[in-house]
Amino acid sequence: MFRTNFARGAALGGLALVLSALPAFAGPGISDDVVKIGILNDQSGPYADLSGQGSVVAAQMAIDEFGGTVLGKKIELLSADHQNKADIGLAKAREWFDRAGVDVIADFSNSSVGFAVQSLARDRDKVTLIAAASSDFTSKSCSATSAQWVYTSYSNGYGLAKALVKSGYSSWFLVTVDYAFGQAFAADIRKAVSEGKGQVLGEVRHPLNTSDMSSYLLQAQSSKAKVVALASAGADMATGIKQAAEFGIADQSLVAPIVFITDVHSLGLAAAKGLKFVTAFYWDRNEETRAWSKKFFAKRNAMPTMTQAGVYSAVRHYLRAVEAAQTDEGQAVMTKMKELPVDDIFSRNGKVREDGLMLHDMYLVEVKQPSESKAPWDYYKILATIPADQAFPSLEQSECPLVRK
């Protein structure tokens, strides 16, 4: 009996010593003793300039600010090209989550890939930080472990039109790419114009990847509308801007819902001058954005797009949340991400809302005339700041199942 009690007591004493040696934050802690971050985006196709390796650089800049560690554990960065294919992106995410121990994946820049990975991450209790346009990421498809940074189809369609109608641009003509993306943006623009007591004088739809927009632009020109809206993106948007310049559509304001500074750089000011759009970030907005962007430029030889600056902000905020939560467990980190304000070069007093939408101000900008630009990448004039509560839909409008009705 004495031996049994003695053995039992010795075992308990040993257990106490083991427990006392555990870290003070003992809970889930840091899985695998490392925090792994994945950047999954287009690195070889049409979105490579606006995200691609630039987003990898931006994420590394956020990691470097932490000295490469959080809670005394190493931070590792991985990256991969999803080639704008949902199956490829999903396969890479599954490999990262299940075998590589990745805790969070950021960027995407492609909604179809984003939706596929967001669903997988929900099942794995992993975090996704989404820089893609669809408003459904934080509405019908919202997740307790995902957040949407940068912009949405609402902010850049409805928000753009609302700001311009308020400034007196009351008549519109829509040149719309004929598939779901363009139709969604056109619907948001129509809604904002109608609510602002303006008029949509006409709309014409064109096929995806058309090389000739002359007939569509001539109809827009003959409408005499104050605004010609290109409800398209990428190559279609660039084609529309180039051919509008060739036709001399100067008496009408040209707008587009999604434009990146790399698009303007590629087009040149002679073609893009006067183009109006909404952006989440401009490198030359203030001293802080200039200082950070010059560091980025030194690494990439290009100024950051709003997506790249947004990836920096999202990764930085994620690491702050890991530090505050004392763990990299998905839902615990996301809870802290929603509690902490987003305060950095991308956003001052930003907030991750209950549905995962990161609320921040947006900026209505106009591309400068060539004579107004003083140096390379000096491209935008900021016409107005759109407050977060006007740029994005209210929580009451959200269809997110996480939102208490």
Side-chain angles (χ1 to χ4, degrees):
M1 179 68 73
F2 173 81
R3 289 181 181 175
T4 302
N5 288 339
F6 178 85
R8 209 174 271 160
L12 290 172
L15 178 60
L17 285 173
V18 171
L19 290 173
S20 68
L22 289 175
F25 55 81
I30 299 300
S31 58
D32 304 321
D33 280 338
V34 61
V35 174
K36 290 190 178 182
I37 299 169
I39 301 298
L40 185 61
N41 60 19
D42 177 5
Q43 299 185 9
S44 57
Y47 305 138
D49 285 345
L50 68 90
S51 60
Q53 283 298 318
S55 289
V56 180
V57 167
Q60 187 63 56
M61 288 173 71
I63 292 168
D64 290 345
E65 284 189 19
F66 274 74
T69 65
V70 60
L71 297 175
K73 306 299 183 182
K74 184 181 177 182
I75 305 167
E76 289 186 7
L77 182 65
L78 294 77
S79 68
D81 183 356
H82 57 45
Q83 301 174 47
N84 291 300
K85 295 178 180 178
D87 58 339
I88 291 175
L90 184 60
K92 177 54 67 174
R94 185 174 286 112
E95 174 193 330
W96 277 356
F97 287 152
D98 296 348
R99 297 203 292 276
V102 167
D103 302 293
V104 53
I105 301 179
D107 195 350
F108 303 105
S109 301
N110 178 298
S111 291
S112 62
V113 178
F115 283 123
V117 179
Q118 182 190 40
S119 179
L120 177 69
R122 181 193 296 115
D123 295 340
R124 300 293 196 274
D125 191 30
K126 303 288 187 177
V127 173
T128 46
L129 304 174
I130 300 163
S134 176
S135 296
D136 283 345
F137 284 114
T138 48
S139 185
K140 297 174 183 177
S141 299
C142 72
S143 163
T145 59
S146 73
Q148 186 174 23
W149 243 254
V150 191
Y151 68 104
T152 69
S153 51
Y154 182 98
S155 68
N156 283 49
Y158 180 88
L160 171 66
K162 182 177 180 179
L164 286 175
V165 172
K166 188 177 179 180
S167 299
Y169 294 88
S170 56
S171 58
W172 292 60
F173 190 95
L174 310 183
V175 180
T176 304
V177 60
D178 195 14
Y179 75 107
F181 169 90
Q183 293 161 20
F185 272 103
D188 279 338
I189 290 171
R190 281 182 176 276
K191 184 173 185 289
V193 171
S194 176
E195 289 178 357
K197 309 301 181 188
Q199 287 183 296
V200 174
L201 301 182
E203 178 179 1
V204 62
R205 296 184 177 182
H206 65 83
L208 179 65
N209 291 330
T210 184
S211 59
D212 183 7
M213 287 201 180
S214 57
S215 64
Y216 312 116
L217 291 168
L218 287 171
Q219 290 180 62
Q221 191 174 40
S222 65
S223 74
K224 306 297 183 184
K226 290 183 179 180
V227 180
V228 175
L230 301 174
S232 59
D236 288 319
M237 182 271 296
T239 297
I241 291 170
K242 287 177 183 176
Q243 294 184 0
E246 292 168 5
F247 288 133
I249 298 181
D251 295 331
Q252 296 163 294
S253 289
L254 199 64
V255 306
I258 299 181
V259 180
F260 296 86
I261 197 166
T262 45
D263 296 326
V264 177
H265 188 70
S266 177
L267 286 164
L269 293 181
K273 63 185 179 184
L275 179 66
K276 295 180 179 68
F277 54 93
V278 169
T279 186
F281 180 83
Y282 179 44
W283 73 269
D284 201 18
R285 187 167 61 84
N286 58 39
E287 287 298 330
E288 291 177 321
T289 57
R290 280 189 286 275
W292 182 85
S293 298
K294 286 175 182 177
K295 291 178 183 177
F296 180 93
F297 186 91
K299 300 173 184 294
R300 285 290 297 165
N301 199 34
M303 285 301 178
T305 66
M306 63 175 171
T307 291
Q308 291 157 352
V311 167
Y312 159 83
S313 173
V315 170
R316 181 180 184 274
H317 193 65
Y318 170 82
L319 292 172
R320 288 182 65 224
V322 169
E323 192 172 57
Q326 300 279 288
T327 179
D328 57 4
E329 187 272 320
Q331 291 198 41
V333 173
M334 188 55 64
T335 296
K336 287 298 180 183
M337 290 187 76
K338 292 175 180 177
E339 290 177 2
L340 296 170
V342 182
D343 192 17
D344 54 35
I345 56 94
F346 181 80
S347 173
R348 291 298 176 203
N349 298 313
K351 177 175 176 54
V352 181
R353 208 166 60 179
E354 187 178 347
D355 55 1
L357 179 62
M358 204 283 269
L359 297 175
H360 56 88
D361 294 344
M362 300 288 286
Y363 305 96
L364 176 65
V365 302
E366 180 180 346
V367 176
K368 291 181 175 182
Q369 300 290 322
S371 60
E372 295 175 304
S373 178
K374 298 183 173 110
W377 301 94
D378 175 25
Y379 295 156
Y380 298 173
K381 292 185 289 188
I382 297 179
L383 304 179
T385 297
I386 306 172
D389 61 354
Q390 296 179 29
F392 298 97
S394 68
L395 192 59
E396 288 70 29
Q397 292 173 272
S398 178
E399 296 181 55
C400 172
L402 300 174
V403 176
R404 294 183 298 274
K405 298 295 185 181

